[in-house]
Amino acid sequence: MLSRELRRRAKKAGQPPGTAIYMGKKKTLDPRITVLTYSENAASETSGATLDEALPAVKTAGVTWIHVEGLQNVALIEELAKRYHIHPLTVEDILNVDQRPKVESFEGYLFITLKMLRWSEKRQTFSTEQISFVLGKDFLLSFQERENTYFKPIRERLKNTANQRLRQQGSDYLVYRLMDAIVDYYFVVLEKLGDQIEAVEDIIITDPKPQNTRTIYRLKRQLMIIRKSIWPMREAVSHLTQDESFTAFTRIY
């Protein structure tokens, strides 16, 4: 893992700060943009592989949520950032998918980056993925490398259910709900690992073998990765509770 990280860092050697270079895998997912615009009384969704396909021709009142899956098209990310006046340093952090979870304030928006955990039933382990949010007064931009189903219930609720809290609140409440969904999946992964730890404990007691040591080391390494992904989020959330981008209504949550 260290060698892969060093090779990624080598891509940026000699480049000035704010240089947009995708630091993930060469090919993860063809970029897909989903745009959901909503207010208390209405909601609409468009999607496409380019901004011209996905963005509505006419800006309507309410909140606009733009979700980008697939980050290798740097030009697309830069074009979107230009439309929403996003600083080059933020673009650099979006494309550097090995960021530590953090929150940064910029003029006109708040940048939030977190780690998502995905459990694989086939491999019986989890993987981590960075997700980045750019929160503005009436918009939210979200970016990630792979296709995501975690937010599907929220998206469906926004489109199909009127007279609900999500449609009545602003973009700050939307990003809270998305972060809450991410945290919910932390518990799924922790529960799965807990089951594995209990199984190993039983094996060690009833049938101790030398290969048990390798299993214990693997589980210990996985727990360290989870800690590195989750622990910094405490600091990030603490920052958000004090930030003026969030209304008093959302801060309670």
Side-chain angles (χ1 to χ4, degrees):
M1 286 185 66
L2 181 59
S3 61
R4 289 202 302 269
E5 172 65 14
L6 290 174
R7 286 197 295 270
R8 288 179 182 181
R9 295 290 179 183
K11 293 181 184 179
K12 300 187 69 175
Q15 299 292 336
T19 302
I21 299 176
Y22 174 52
M23 300 289 284
K25 296 178 181 179
K26 285 187 177 180
K27 186 68 172 178
T28 53
L29 180 73
D30 290 333
R32 186 71 178 173
I33 307 165
T34 303
V35 181
L36 205 158
T37 301
Y38 66 91
S39 63
E40 185 174 357
N41 300 317
S44 63
E45 183 181 69
T46 56
S47 61
T50 67
L51 292 180
D52 289 338
E53 290 178 5
L55 289 179
V58 180
K59 179 71 171 68
T60 57
V63 176
T64 299
W65 172 22
I66 302 177
H67 184 65
V68 180
E69 296 174 334
L71 302 180
Q72 68 268 14
N73 189 337
V74 174
L76 185 149
I77 306 298
E78 289 183 311
E79 182 183 354
L80 181 58
K82 185 177 180 180
R83 294 195 186 196
Y84 280 86
H85 309 290
I86 308 303
H87 197 282
L89 288 175
T90 299
V91 177
E92 181 183 21
D93 283 347
I94 291 169
L95 295 171
N96 180 4
V97 294
D98 293 312
Q99 290 288 321
R100 183 178 185 271
K102 64 179 181 178
V103 175
E104 292 181 336
S105 297
F106 288 82
E107 184 177 355
Y109 67 91
L110 196 67
F111 176 63
I112 307 166
T113 183
L114 305 171
K115 294 295 184 184
M116 300 180 69
L117 303 183
R118 294 174 181 260
W119 182 261
S120 170
E121 289 292 344
K122 182 179 180 180
R123 298 172 57 233
Q124 285 296 295
T125 188
F126 70 92
S127 60
T128 63
E129 180 186 0
Q130 177 171 302
I131 182 163
S132 300
F133 297 108
V134 176
L135 173 64
K137 183 178 180 182
D138 58 356
F139 69 88
L140 176 66
L141 315 180
S142 51
F143 304 86
Q144 62 181 124
E145 289 184 280
R146 290 179 281 169
E147 186 177 2
N148 172 32
T149 59
Y150 291 11
F151 303 153
K152 184 178 180 180
I154 296 174
R155 186 178 293 115
E156 293 301 320
R157 200 170 294 123
L158 280 169
K159 289 191 297 181
N160 303 322
T161 309
N163 300 319
Q164 55 149 320
R165 192 174 296 149
L166 261 171
R167 292 258 289 263
Q168 294 169 354
Q169 301 300 318
S171 54
D172 62 313
Y173 185 71
L174 172 61
V175 77
Y176 153 71
R177 290 290 294 269
L178 299 179
M179 292 170 61
D180 186 60
I182 292 171
V183 172
D184 284 345
Y185 278 90
Y186 287 173
F187 288 100
V188 172
V189 172
L190 289 171
E191 182 180 359
K192 296 289 187 180
L193 282 180
D195 292 342
Q196 290 188 2
I197 291 170
E198 289 181 7
V200 170
E201 287 176 341
D202 293 339
I203 291 172
I204 290 173
I205 293 172
T206 59
D207 186 23
K209 294 179 180 179
Q211 55 262 40
N212 296 151
T213 304
R214 292 195 297 271
T215 303
I216 292 171
Y217 176 78
R218 176 179 59 82
L219 288 170
K220 181 179 179 181
R221 186 175 180 83
Q222 289 180 322
L223 290 171
M224 289 175 62
I225 293 172
I226 288 179
R227 180 180 175 85
K228 287 178 65 177
S229 300
I230 295 177
W231 190 256
M233 192 171 179
R234 289 165 55 95
E235 181 182 340
V237 171
S238 177
H239 179 96
L240 295 180
T241 60
Q242 308 298 324
D243 196 279
E244 294 182 357
S245 301
F246 286 78
T247 63
F249 177 88
T250 304
R251 285 198 195 104
I252 295 173
Y253 291 91

